Amino acid sequence: MTEQAAIIAETRDWIEKAVIGLNLCPFAKAVYVNDRIRYYVSEAESEGALLADLSRELRALHAADPQTCETVLLIHPGVLTDFLDYNDFLDAADATVEALGLMGELQIASFHPHYQFAGSGPDDVENCTNRSPYPMLHLLRESSVERAVQASPDADAIPARNVETLRRLGPEGWRRLWLAEPRED
């Protein structure tokens, strides 16, 4: 298995076990099982190179048929491995969406192995709602998000429910999720 294939396999394992398995995103399962996620593993080792990849992936997602590609996970294991640097980079990522004229059409959600919400401690289990195996930018269509929210009358309750789910699971339960080997494609 190539390094990129292994990174994608770990990411898929995270989606299956955490995002779908713990129902952290009730909208993810349909997109996942219908294979409408594009996984792009960036070889970027600088923020500039990552911004170039981000621009290309934003354009590609915007141009793609949503029935084929609904969303993109831009995985970047070689850059922004420090969470504070990653968090600072999010402003540049949003500025890229705006510079491309895609505000209101595409948005970016953030995931990182060391994700930490403001006001939380680094070991607080609720941070795991946004912890992924690698730093990544999740590129989403605004129309898809709007449809999902309209279809879910309790969409506003999702973040609080996720925190409660992770608190019930606890740090040890979160660690146990990752004991099994990731699947290989």
Side-chain angles (χ1 to χ4, degrees), residues 4 7-16 19-20 25 28-29 31-33 35-43 50 53-54 56-58 60-61 68-77 86 106-112 129-141:
Q4 286 192 348
I7 289 168
I8 291 170
E10 284 183 71
T11 300
R12 291 176 62 89
D13 189 54
W14 166 71
I15 293 169
E16 291 172 5
V19 178
I20 295 171
C25 178
K29 186 174 183 178
V31 174
Y32 181 78
V33 298
D35 198 27
R36 293 194 317 250
I37 301 172
R38 174 172 155 75
Y39 303 88
Y40 181 81
V41 180
S42 171
E43 294 181 8
L50 181 58
D53 286 345
L54 175 61
R56 187 175 45 258
E57 290 303 311
L58 285 165
L61 177 60
T68 305
C69 181
E70 181 90 16
T71 191
V72 174
L73 290 177
L74 173 53
I75 309 160
H76 48 93
Y86 171 86
L106 300 180
Q107 63 178 257
I108 300 173
S110 55
F111 296 94
H112 194 278
T129 62
N130 285 57
R131 286 196 175 166
S132 55
Y134 299 96
M136 67 178 73
L137 300 168
H138 184 187
L139 315 183
L140 298 135
R141 297 173 188 274

Short mmCIF file of all heavy atoms in Angstrom, two decimals, residues 4 7-16 19-20 25 28-29 31-33 35-43 50 53-54 56-58 60-61 68-77 86 106-112 129-141:
data_model
loop_
_atom_site.label_atom_id
_atom_site.label_comp_id
_atom_site.label_asym_id
_atom_site.label_seq_id
_atom_site.Cartn_x
_atom_site.Cartn_y
_atom_site.Cartn_z
N GLN A 4 0.09 7.37 0.44
CA GLN A 4 -1.17 8.07 0.25
C GLN A 4 -2.37 7.15 0.49
O GLN A 4 -3.35 7.54 1.12
CB GLN A 4 -1.25 8.70 -1.13
CG GLN A 4 -0.38 9.92 -1.26
CD GLN A 4 -0.65 10.70 -2.52
OE1 GLN A 4 -1.35 10.24 -3.43
NE2 GLN A 4 -0.12 11.91 -2.58
N ILE A 7 -2.81 6.71 4.21
CA ILE A 7 -3.41 7.90 4.82
C ILE A 7 -4.90 7.94 4.56
O ILE A 7 -5.70 8.23 5.45
CB ILE A 7 -2.68 9.17 4.29
CG1 ILE A 7 -1.27 9.24 4.87
CG2 ILE A 7 -3.48 10.43 4.62
CD1 ILE A 7 -0.38 10.27 4.21
N ILE A 8 -5.30 7.63 3.34
CA ILE A 8 -6.73 7.59 3.01
C ILE A 8 -7.43 6.49 3.80
O ILE A 8 -8.53 6.68 4.32
CB ILE A 8 -6.95 7.45 1.50
CG1 ILE A 8 -6.50 8.75 0.80
CG2 ILE A 8 -8.40 7.12 1.15
CD1 ILE A 8 -6.43 8.66 -0.71
N ALA A 9 -6.80 5.33 3.93
CA ALA A 9 -7.40 4.22 4.69
C ALA A 9 -7.60 4.62 6.15
O ALA A 9 -8.65 4.33 6.74
CB ALA A 9 -6.53 2.97 4.59
N GLU A 10 -6.62 5.30 6.74
CA GLU A 10 -6.78 5.77 8.13
C GLU A 10 -7.89 6.80 8.24
O GLU A 10 -8.65 6.80 9.22
CB GLU A 10 -5.47 6.38 8.64
CG GLU A 10 -4.41 5.37 8.99
CD GLU A 10 -3.18 6.05 9.54
OE1 GLU A 10 -3.24 6.56 10.68
OE2 GLU A 10 -2.15 6.09 8.82
N THR A 11 -7.99 7.66 7.24
CA THR A 11 -9.05 8.67 7.24
C THR A 11 -10.42 8.01 7.11
O THR A 11 -11.37 8.37 7.82
CB THR A 11 -8.81 9.69 6.10
OG1 THR A 11 -7.53 10.31 6.32
CG2 THR A 11 -9.90 10.74 6.06
N ARG A 12 -10.53 7.04 6.25
CA ARG A 12 -11.80 6.31 6.09
C ARG A 12 -12.17 5.58 7.39
O ARG A 12 -13.34 5.54 7.79
CB ARG A 12 -11.74 5.35 4.91
CG ARG A 12 -11.69 6.07 3.55
CD ARG A 12 -11.52 5.09 2.40
NE ARG A 12 -12.63 4.17 2.31
CZ ARG A 12 -13.75 4.38 1.63
NH1 ARG A 12 -13.90 5.49 0.94
NH2 ARG A 12 -14.71 3.48 1.60
N ASP A 13 -11.17 5.01 8.05
CA ASP A 13 -11.39 4.34 9.33
C ASP A 13 -11.93 5.33 10.37
O ASP A 13 -12.87 5.02 11.11
CB ASP A 13 -10.07 3.71 9.80
CG ASP A 13 -10.25 2.80 10.99
OD1 ASP A 13 -11.09 1.88 10.93
OD2 ASP A 13 -9.53 3.02 12.00
N TRP A 14 -11.37 6.53 10.40
CA TRP A 14 -11.84 7.58 11.30
C TRP A 14 -13.29 7.95 10.98
O TRP A 14 -14.12 8.10 11.89
CB TRP A 14 -10.91 8.79 11.19
CG TRP A 14 -11.42 10.06 11.78
CD1 TRP A 14 -11.58 10.35 13.11
CD2 TRP A 14 -11.84 11.23 11.07
NE1 TRP A 14 -12.06 11.63 13.26
CE2 TRP A 14 -12.23 12.19 12.02
CE3 TRP A 14 -11.91 11.56 9.72
CZ2 TRP A 14 -12.70 13.45 11.67
CZ3 TRP A 14 -12.36 12.81 9.37
CH2 TRP A 14 -12.75 13.74 10.34
N ILE A 15 -13.60 8.09 9.70
CA ILE A 15 -14.97 8.41 9.31
C ILE A 15 -15.92 7.31 9.79
O ILE A 15 -16.98 7.59 10.37
CB ILE A 15 -15.09 8.62 7.79
CG1 ILE A 15 -14.35 9.87 7.36
CG2 ILE A 15 -16.56 8.69 7.36
CD1 ILE A 15 -14.18 10.02 5.85
N GLU A 16 -15.55 6.06 9.54
CA GLU A 16 -16.41 4.94 9.92
C GLU A 16 -16.59 4.83 11.43
O GLU A 16 -17.71 4.62 11.91
CB GLU A 16 -15.85 3.64 9.36
CG GLU A 16 -15.95 3.55 7.86
CD GLU A 16 -15.22 2.34 7.29
OE1 GLU A 16 -14.70 1.50 8.06
OE2 GLU A 16 -15.14 2.25 6.05
N VAL A 19 -16.86 9.56 13.00
CA VAL A 19 -17.82 10.48 12.39
C VAL A 19 -19.18 9.79 12.21
O VAL A 19 -20.21 10.32 12.61
CB VAL A 19 -17.28 11.02 11.05
CG1 VAL A 19 -18.30 11.94 10.39
CG2 VAL A 19 -15.96 11.76 11.25
N ILE A 20 -19.16 8.59 11.63
CA ILE A 20 -20.41 7.85 11.42
C ILE A 20 -20.71 6.96 12.63
O ILE A 20 -21.83 6.95 13.12
CB ILE A 20 -20.35 7.00 10.13
CG1 ILE A 20 -20.25 7.93 8.91
CG2 ILE A 20 -21.57 6.08 10.01
CD1 ILE A 20 -19.98 7.22 7.59
N CYS A 25 -21.57 13.33 12.92
CA CYS A 25 -22.20 14.08 11.84
C CYS A 25 -23.27 13.20 11.22
O CYS A 25 -22.96 12.28 10.46
CB CYS A 25 -21.19 14.50 10.77
SG CYS A 25 -21.99 15.39 9.41
N ALA A 28 -23.13 12.56 7.34
CA ALA A 28 -21.96 11.99 6.68
C ALA A 28 -22.21 10.61 6.06
O ALA A 28 -21.61 10.28 5.04
CB ALA A 28 -20.80 11.89 7.66
N LYS A 29 -23.06 9.83 6.66
CA LYS A 29 -23.20 8.43 6.23
C LYS A 29 -23.62 8.31 4.76
O LYS A 29 -23.03 7.54 4.01
CB LYS A 29 -24.18 7.68 7.12
CG LYS A 29 -24.24 6.21 6.80
CD LYS A 29 -25.09 5.44 7.77
CE LYS A 29 -25.06 3.97 7.44
NZ LYS A 29 -25.85 3.19 8.40
N VAL A 31 -23.30 10.38 2.24
CA VAL A 31 -22.24 10.82 1.33
C VAL A 31 -21.13 9.77 1.30
O VAL A 31 -20.59 9.46 0.24
CB VAL A 31 -21.69 12.20 1.78
CG1 VAL A 31 -20.50 12.62 0.94
CG2 VAL A 31 -22.78 13.25 1.71
N TYR A 32 -20.83 9.19 2.45
CA TYR A 32 -19.76 8.18 2.54
C TYR A 32 -20.14 6.90 1.81
O TYR A 32 -19.39 6.41 0.97
CB TYR A 32 -19.45 7.89 4.01
CG TYR A 32 -18.35 6.89 4.21
CD1 TYR A 32 -17.01 7.27 4.06
CD2 TYR A 32 -18.63 5.58 4.53
CE1 TYR A 32 -15.99 6.35 4.24
CE2 TYR A 32 -17.62 4.65 4.72
CZ TYR A 32 -16.29 5.05 4.57
OH TYR A 32 -15.29 4.13 4.74
N VAL A 33 -21.32 6.35 2.11
CA VAL A 33 -21.69 5.07 1.51
C VAL A 33 -21.96 5.19 0.01
O VAL A 33 -21.81 4.22 -0.73
CB VAL A 33 -22.89 4.38 2.22
CG1 VAL A 33 -22.56 4.06 3.66
CG2 VAL A 33 -24.15 5.21 2.12
N ASP A 35 -20.14 7.02 -1.85
CA ASP A 35 -18.80 7.28 -2.41
C ASP A 35 -18.73 8.63 -3.11
O ASP A 35 -18.23 8.75 -4.23
CB ASP A 35 -18.40 6.14 -3.35
CG ASP A 35 -16.90 6.12 -3.60
OD1 ASP A 35 -16.14 6.57 -2.72
OD2 ASP A 35 -16.50 5.66 -4.68
N ARG A 36 -19.25 9.68 -2.42
CA ARG A 36 -19.22 11.03 -3.00
C ARG A 36 -18.24 11.95 -2.26
O ARG A 36 -18.38 13.16 -2.27
CB ARG A 36 -20.62 11.62 -3.01
CG ARG A 36 -21.54 10.87 -3.98
CD ARG A 36 -22.82 11.61 -4.29
NE ARG A 36 -23.46 12.20 -3.17
CZ ARG A 36 -24.60 11.80 -2.63
NH1 ARG A 36 -25.23 10.76 -3.12
NH2 ARG A 36 -25.13 12.44 -1.61
N ILE A 37 -17.24 11.32 -1.62
CA ILE A 37 -16.17 12.07 -0.96
C ILE A 37 -14.91 11.92 -1.79
O ILE A 37 -14.52 10.81 -2.14
CB ILE A 37 -15.90 11.54 0.47
CG1 ILE A 37 -17.14 11.63 1.34
CG2 ILE A 37 -14.73 12.31 1.10
CD1 ILE A 37 -16.99 10.96 2.70
N ARG A 38 -14.29 13.03 -2.10
CA ARG A 38 -12.97 12.99 -2.74
C ARG A 38 -11.93 13.15 -1.63
O ARG A 38 -12.02 14.07 -0.82
CB ARG A 38 -12.83 14.11 -3.76
CG ARG A 38 -11.42 14.22 -4.35
CD ARG A 38 -11.38 15.21 -5.50
NE ARG A 38 -10.07 15.78 -5.72
CZ ARG A 38 -9.05 15.15 -6.29
NH1 ARG A 38 -9.18 13.89 -6.67
NH2 ARG A 38 -7.90 15.76 -6.47
N TYR A 39 -10.97 12.25 -1.61
CA TYR A 39 -9.86 12.31 -0.66
C TYR A 39 -8.63 12.79 -1.44
O TYR A 39 -8.22 12.13 -2.40
CB TYR A 39 -9.57 10.93 -0.08
CG TYR A 39 -10.76 10.30 0.61
CD1 TYR A 39 -11.66 9.53 -0.12
CD2 TYR A 39 -10.98 10.48 1.96
CE1 TYR A 39 -12.76 8.96 0.49
CE2 TYR A 39 -12.08 9.91 2.58
CZ TYR A 39 -12.97 9.14 1.84
OH TYR A 39 -14.05 8.58 2.44
N TYR A 40 -8.10 13.91 -1.05
CA TYR A 40 -6.90 14.41 -1.70
C TYR A 40 -5.81 14.54 -0.64
O TYR A 40 -5.96 15.31 0.32
CB TYR A 40 -7.14 15.76 -2.38
CG TYR A 40 -5.90 16.27 -3.07
CD1 TYR A 40 -5.54 15.79 -4.32
CD2 TYR A 40 -5.07 17.20 -2.45
CE1 TYR A 40 -4.39 16.23 -4.95
CE2 TYR A 40 -3.92 17.65 -3.08
CZ TYR A 40 -3.58 17.15 -4.32
OH TYR A 40 -2.43 17.58 -4.93
N VAL A 41 -4.73 13.79 -0.80
CA VAL A 41 -3.61 13.85 0.12
C VAL A 41 -2.58 14.80 -0.49
O VAL A 41 -1.95 14.49 -1.50
CB VAL A 41 -3.00 12.46 0.39
CG1 VAL A 41 -1.82 12.57 1.36
CG2 VAL A 41 -4.06 11.50 0.93
N SER A 42 -2.43 15.94 0.15
CA SER A 42 -1.50 16.95 -0.33
C SER A 42 -0.07 16.57 0.04
O SER A 42 0.19 16.06 1.13
CB SER A 42 -1.84 18.30 0.33
OG SER A 42 -0.86 19.26 0.05
N GLU A 43 0.83 16.85 -0.87
CA GLU A 43 2.25 16.65 -0.60
C GLU A 43 2.89 17.95 -0.14
O GLU A 43 4.12 18.02 0.02
CB GLU A 43 2.94 16.10 -1.84
CG GLU A 43 2.46 14.71 -2.19
CD GLU A 43 3.14 14.12 -3.41
OE1 GLU A 43 4.12 14.72 -3.92
OE2 GLU A 43 2.69 13.06 -3.85
N LEU A 50 0.21 24.48 0.22
CA LEU A 50 -1.12 24.02 0.65
C LEU A 50 -2.20 24.95 0.11
O LEU A 50 -3.27 24.48 -0.32
CB LEU A 50 -1.19 23.93 2.18
CG LEU A 50 -2.52 23.45 2.75
CD1 LEU A 50 -2.89 22.06 2.22
CD2 LEU A 50 -2.47 23.44 4.28
N ASP A 53 -2.89 23.94 -3.39
CA ASP A 53 -3.73 22.73 -3.41
C ASP A 53 -5.17 23.07 -3.05
O ASP A 53 -6.11 22.56 -3.66
CB ASP A 53 -3.18 21.67 -2.44
CG ASP A 53 -1.93 20.99 -2.95
OD1 ASP A 53 -1.60 21.09 -4.15
OD2 ASP A 53 -1.27 20.31 -2.11
N LEU A 54 -5.33 23.92 -2.03
CA LEU A 54 -6.67 24.31 -1.61
C LEU A 54 -7.41 25.01 -2.75
O LEU A 54 -8.57 24.68 -3.03
CB LEU A 54 -6.60 25.21 -0.37
CG LEU A 54 -7.92 25.80 0.11
CD1 LEU A 54 -8.92 24.71 0.50
CD2 LEU A 54 -7.68 26.77 1.27
N ARG A 56 -6.95 24.74 -5.95
CA ARG A 56 -7.25 23.74 -7.00
C ARG A 56 -8.44 22.87 -6.57
O ARG A 56 -9.35 22.62 -7.35
CB ARG A 56 -6.01 22.89 -7.28
CG ARG A 56 -6.17 21.95 -8.44
CD ARG A 56 -4.89 21.19 -8.79
NE ARG A 56 -4.20 20.64 -7.64
CZ ARG A 56 -3.10 21.17 -7.08
NH1 ARG A 56 -2.57 22.27 -7.55
NH2 ARG A 56 -2.53 20.60 -6.03
N GLU A 57 -8.44 22.42 -5.32
CA GLU A 57 -9.52 21.54 -4.85
C GLU A 57 -10.85 22.29 -4.72
O GLU A 57 -11.90 21.71 -4.98
CB GLU A 57 -9.13 20.86 -3.54
CG GLU A 57 -8.04 19.81 -3.70
CD GLU A 57 -8.42 18.72 -4.68
OE1 GLU A 57 -9.53 18.16 -4.59
OE2 GLU A 57 -7.59 18.42 -5.57
N LEU A 58 -10.80 23.55 -4.32
CA LEU A 58 -12.03 24.34 -4.27
C LEU A 58 -12.63 24.50 -5.66
O LEU A 58 -13.84 24.31 -5.85
CB LEU A 58 -11.76 25.71 -3.65
CG LEU A 58 -11.55 25.76 -2.14
CD1 LEU A 58 -10.93 27.09 -1.73
CD2 LEU A 58 -12.85 25.49 -1.39
N ALA A 60 -12.13 22.54 -8.23
CA ALA A 60 -12.57 21.22 -8.71
C ALA A 60 -13.91 20.84 -8.07
O ALA A 60 -14.80 20.32 -8.76
CB ALA A 60 -11.51 20.16 -8.40
N LEU A 61 -14.05 21.09 -6.78
CA LEU A 61 -15.33 20.77 -6.13
C LEU A 61 -16.45 21.61 -6.71
O LEU A 61 -17.53 21.10 -6.99
CB LEU A 61 -15.22 20.99 -4.61
CG LEU A 61 -16.51 20.75 -3.83
CD1 LEU A 61 -17.01 19.31 -3.98
CD2 LEU A 61 -16.29 21.08 -2.35
N THR A 68 -21.53 13.06 -8.06
CA THR A 68 -20.27 12.33 -8.16
C THR A 68 -19.33 12.72 -7.02
O THR A 68 -18.69 11.86 -6.42
CB THR A 68 -19.57 12.65 -9.50
OG1 THR A 68 -20.48 12.35 -10.55
CG2 THR A 68 -18.31 11.85 -9.67
N CYS A 69 -19.25 14.02 -6.73
CA CYS A 69 -18.37 14.53 -5.68
C CYS A 69 -19.11 15.59 -4.88
O CYS A 69 -19.28 16.71 -5.34
CB CYS A 69 -17.08 15.11 -6.29
SG CYS A 69 -15.93 15.75 -5.05
N GLU A 70 -19.53 15.21 -3.71
CA GLU A 70 -20.30 16.10 -2.84
C GLU A 70 -19.39 16.95 -1.96
O GLU A 70 -19.72 18.07 -1.60
CB GLU A 70 -21.22 15.25 -1.95
CG GLU A 70 -22.09 16.04 -1.02
CD GLU A 70 -23.42 16.41 -1.63
OE1 GLU A 70 -23.80 15.81 -2.65
OE2 GLU A 70 -24.07 17.29 -1.07
N THR A 71 -18.23 16.39 -1.61
CA THR A 71 -17.36 17.04 -0.64
C THR A 71 -15.92 16.57 -0.85
O THR A 71 -15.71 15.53 -1.48
CB THR A 71 -17.87 16.74 0.79
OG1 THR A 71 -17.19 17.55 1.73
CG2 THR A 71 -17.71 15.29 1.16
N VAL A 72 -14.97 17.32 -0.31
CA VAL A 72 -13.56 16.97 -0.44
C VAL A 72 -12.90 17.02 0.93
O VAL A 72 -13.12 17.96 1.70
CB VAL A 72 -12.82 17.96 -1.38
CG1 VAL A 72 -11.31 17.68 -1.40
CG2 VAL A 72 -13.38 17.90 -2.79
N LEU A 73 -12.09 16.01 1.21
CA LEU A 73 -11.22 16.04 2.38
C LEU A 73 -9.81 16.29 1.86
O LEU A 73 -9.22 15.43 1.20
CB LEU A 73 -11.28 14.73 3.17
CG LEU A 73 -12.59 14.48 3.90
CD1 LEU A 73 -12.58 13.12 4.58
CD2 LEU A 73 -12.87 15.58 4.92
N LEU A 74 -9.30 17.48 2.12
CA LEU A 74 -7.95 17.87 1.73
C LEU A 74 -7.06 17.56 2.93
O LEU A 74 -7.03 18.31 3.91
CB LEU A 74 -7.90 19.34 1.34
CG LEU A 74 -6.54 19.97 1.07
CD1 LEU A 74 -5.74 19.18 0.05
CD2 LEU A 74 -6.71 21.42 0.63
N ILE A 75 -6.38 16.44 2.86
CA ILE A 75 -5.55 15.93 3.96
C ILE A 75 -4.12 16.41 3.71
O ILE A 75 -3.58 16.22 2.63
CB ILE A 75 -5.61 14.39 4.00
CG1 ILE A 75 -7.08 13.93 4.00
CG2 ILE A 75 -4.84 13.84 5.20
CD1 ILE A 75 -7.27 12.48 3.56
N HIS A 76 -3.52 17.02 4.73
CA HIS A 76 -2.18 17.59 4.54
C HIS A 76 -1.25 17.21 5.69
O HIS A 76 -0.98 17.98 6.59
CB HIS A 76 -2.25 19.11 4.35
CG HIS A 76 -3.10 19.83 5.34
ND1 HIS A 76 -2.59 20.38 6.51
CD2 HIS A 76 -4.42 20.10 5.35
CE1 HIS A 76 -3.56 20.95 7.19
NE2 HIS A 76 -4.68 20.79 6.51
N PRO A 77 -0.70 15.98 5.64
CA PRO A 77 0.12 15.48 6.74
C PRO A 77 1.49 16.15 6.86
O PRO A 77 2.12 16.05 7.92
CB PRO A 77 0.28 14.00 6.42
CG PRO A 77 0.05 13.89 4.96
CD PRO A 77 -0.90 14.99 4.60
N TYR A 86 -2.03 25.68 12.46
CA TYR A 86 -3.18 25.26 11.65
C TYR A 86 -4.35 26.22 11.87
O TYR A 86 -4.98 26.69 10.92
CB TYR A 86 -3.57 23.83 12.03
CG TYR A 86 -4.87 23.35 11.43
CD1 TYR A 86 -4.90 22.78 10.17
CD2 TYR A 86 -6.07 23.48 12.13
CE1 TYR A 86 -6.09 22.33 9.61
CE2 TYR A 86 -7.25 23.03 11.58
CZ TYR A 86 -7.25 22.46 10.33
OH TYR A 86 -8.44 22.02 9.78
N LEU A 106 -19.20 27.53 -1.22
CA LEU A 106 -18.37 26.51 -0.56
C LEU A 106 -17.92 27.04 0.79
O LEU A 106 -17.81 28.25 0.99
CB LEU A 106 -17.14 26.17 -1.40
CG LEU A 106 -17.38 25.62 -2.81
CD1 LEU A 106 -16.05 25.34 -3.50
CD2 LEU A 106 -18.23 24.36 -2.77
N GLN A 107 -17.66 26.13 1.71
CA GLN A 107 -17.14 26.49 3.02
C GLN A 107 -16.14 25.44 3.46
O GLN A 107 -16.06 24.35 2.87
CB GLN A 107 -18.25 26.64 4.06
CG GLN A 107 -19.03 25.38 4.34
CD GLN A 107 -20.09 25.57 5.40
OE1 GLN A 107 -19.89 25.15 6.53
NE2 GLN A 107 -21.21 26.17 5.03
N ILE A 108 -15.39 25.76 4.51
CA ILE A 108 -14.35 24.86 5.01
C ILE A 108 -14.62 24.55 6.47
O ILE A 108 -14.84 25.45 7.28
CB ILE A 108 -12.96 25.51 4.86
CG1 ILE A 108 -12.67 25.81 3.38
CG2 ILE A 108 -11.88 24.60 5.46
CD1 ILE A 108 -11.40 26.59 3.14
N ALA A 109 -14.61 23.26 6.79
CA ALA A 109 -14.66 22.80 8.17
C ALA A 109 -13.26 22.31 8.53
O ALA A 109 -12.51 21.85 7.66
CB ALA A 109 -15.69 21.69 8.34
N SER A 110 -12.91 22.40 9.80
CA SER A 110 -11.53 22.10 10.20
C SER A 110 -11.44 20.88 11.11
O SER A 110 -12.24 20.73 12.03
CB SER A 110 -10.92 23.32 10.88
OG SER A 110 -11.70 23.75 11.96
N PHE A 111 -10.43 20.06 10.83
CA PHE A 111 -10.14 18.86 11.62
C PHE A 111 -8.63 18.73 11.76
O PHE A 111 -7.89 18.98 10.81
CB PHE A 111 -10.72 17.62 10.95
CG PHE A 111 -12.22 17.65 10.87
CD1 PHE A 111 -12.85 18.14 9.73
CD2 PHE A 111 -13.00 17.23 11.93
CE1 PHE A 111 -14.23 18.21 9.65
CE2 PHE A 111 -14.39 17.30 11.86
CZ PHE A 111 -15.00 17.79 10.71
N HIS A 112 -8.20 18.32 12.95
CA HIS A 112 -6.77 18.23 13.24
C HIS A 112 -6.56 17.22 14.36
O HIS A 112 -7.39 17.11 15.26
CB HIS A 112 -6.26 19.62 13.67
CG HIS A 112 -4.79 19.76 13.68
ND1 HIS A 112 -4.03 19.32 14.74
CD2 HIS A 112 -3.93 20.29 12.78
CE1 HIS A 112 -2.76 19.58 14.49
NE2 HIS A 112 -2.67 20.16 13.30
N THR A 129 -14.36 15.73 18.93
CA THR A 129 -15.35 15.91 17.86
C THR A 129 -14.70 16.41 16.59
O THR A 129 -15.21 16.18 15.50
CB THR A 129 -16.48 16.88 18.27
OG1 THR A 129 -15.92 18.17 18.52
CG2 THR A 129 -17.24 16.39 19.48
N ASN A 130 -13.57 17.10 16.71
CA ASN A 130 -12.87 17.65 15.55
C ASN A 130 -11.45 17.10 15.41
O ASN A 130 -10.64 17.69 14.72
CB ASN A 130 -12.84 19.18 15.62
CG ASN A 130 -14.17 19.79 15.30
OD1 ASN A 130 -15.17 19.50 15.94
ND2 ASN A 130 -14.22 20.65 14.32
N ARG A 131 -11.18 15.98 16.07
CA ARG A 131 -9.85 15.38 15.96
C ARG A 131 -9.86 14.29 14.90
O ARG A 131 -10.66 13.36 14.95
CB ARG A 131 -9.39 14.83 17.31
CG ARG A 131 -9.00 15.97 18.24
CD ARG A 131 -8.20 15.54 19.41
NE ARG A 131 -7.79 16.72 20.17
CZ ARG A 131 -7.31 16.68 21.37
NH1 ARG A 131 -7.14 15.52 21.99
NH2 ARG A 131 -6.97 17.80 21.98
N SER A 132 -8.95 14.43 13.97
CA SER A 132 -8.81 13.51 12.85
C SER A 132 -7.40 12.93 12.87
O SER A 132 -6.54 13.43 13.58
CB SER A 132 -9.04 14.29 11.54
OG SER A 132 -8.16 15.40 11.48
N PRO A 133 -7.16 11.86 12.11
CA PRO A 133 -5.83 11.26 12.14
C PRO A 133 -4.74 12.16 11.57
O PRO A 133 -3.57 12.03 11.94
CB PRO A 133 -5.98 9.99 11.31
CG PRO A 133 -7.28 10.08 10.61
CD PRO A 133 -8.10 11.11 11.29
N TYR A 134 -5.09 13.08 10.68
CA TYR A 134 -4.14 14.01 10.06
C TYR A 134 -4.79 15.38 9.99
O TYR A 134 -6.02 15.48 9.98
CB TYR A 134 -3.81 13.56 8.62
CG TYR A 134 -3.18 12.21 8.57
CD1 TYR A 134 -3.95 11.08 8.32
CD2 TYR A 134 -1.81 12.05 8.77
CE1 TYR A 134 -3.37 9.81 8.29
CE2 TYR A 134 -1.22 10.80 8.74
CZ TYR A 134 -2.01 9.68 8.51
OH TYR A 134 -1.44 8.44 8.49
N PRO A 135 -3.99 16.44 9.89
CA PRO A 135 -4.60 17.74 9.65
C PRO A 135 -5.35 17.70 8.31
O PRO A 135 -4.87 17.11 7.34
CB PRO A 135 -3.40 18.70 9.55
CG PRO A 135 -2.25 17.97 10.17
CD PRO A 135 -2.53 16.52 9.97
N MET A 136 -6.54 18.27 8.30
CA MET A 136 -7.31 18.28 7.06
C MET A 136 -8.27 19.44 7.02
O MET A 136 -8.68 19.96 8.06
CB MET A 136 -8.04 16.96 6.84
CG MET A 136 -9.14 16.63 7.80
SD MET A 136 -9.99 15.06 7.42
CE MET A 136 -8.76 13.86 7.88
N LEU A 137 -8.59 19.82 5.81
CA LEU A 137 -9.60 20.84 5.53
C LEU A 137 -10.74 20.13 4.82
O LEU A 137 -10.53 19.46 3.81
CB LEU A 137 -9.01 21.94 4.64
CG LEU A 137 -7.80 22.67 5.23
CD1 LEU A 137 -7.11 23.51 4.17
CD2 LEU A 137 -8.21 23.52 6.41
N HIS A 138 -11.93 20.25 5.36
CA HIS A 138 -13.11 19.61 4.78
C HIS A 138 -13.84 20.66 3.96
O HIS A 138 -14.38 21.62 4.50
CB HIS A 138 -14.00 19.07 5.90
CG HIS A 138 -15.18 18.32 5.42
ND1 HIS A 138 -16.15 17.88 6.27
CD2 HIS A 138 -15.57 17.93 4.18
CE1 HIS A 138 -17.09 17.26 5.57
NE2 HIS A 138 -16.75 17.29 4.30
N LEU A 139 -13.85 20.47 2.66
CA LEU A 139 -14.49 21.41 1.74
C LEU A 139 -15.92 20.95 1.49
O LEU A 139 -16.15 19.82 1.06
CB LEU A 139 -13.71 21.47 0.42
CG LEU A 139 -12.18 21.57 0.54
CD1 LEU A 139 -11.55 21.69 -0.84
CD2 LEU A 139 -11.77 22.70 1.44
N LEU A 140 -16.84 21.84 1.78
CA LEU A 140 -18.26 21.50 1.71
C LEU A 140 -19.02 22.45 0.81
O LEU A 140 -18.71 23.64 0.76
CB LEU A 140 -18.89 21.61 3.11
CG LEU A 140 -18.35 20.69 4.18
CD1 LEU A 140 -18.11 21.44 5.46
CD2 LEU A 140 -19.34 19.58 4.39
N ARG A 141 -20.05 21.93 0.17
CA ARG A 141 -20.97 22.76 -0.60
C ARG A 141 -21.99 23.36 0.37
O ARG A 141 -22.60 22.64 1.16
CB ARG A 141 -21.71 21.93 -1.63
CG ARG A 141 -20.83 21.30 -2.68
CD ARG A 141 -21.66 20.35 -3.57
NE ARG A 141 -20.81 19.62 -4.45
CZ ARG A 141 -20.39 20.06 -5.64
NH1 ARG A 141 -20.78 21.24 -6.07
NH2 ARG A 141 -19.60 19.32 -6.38
#
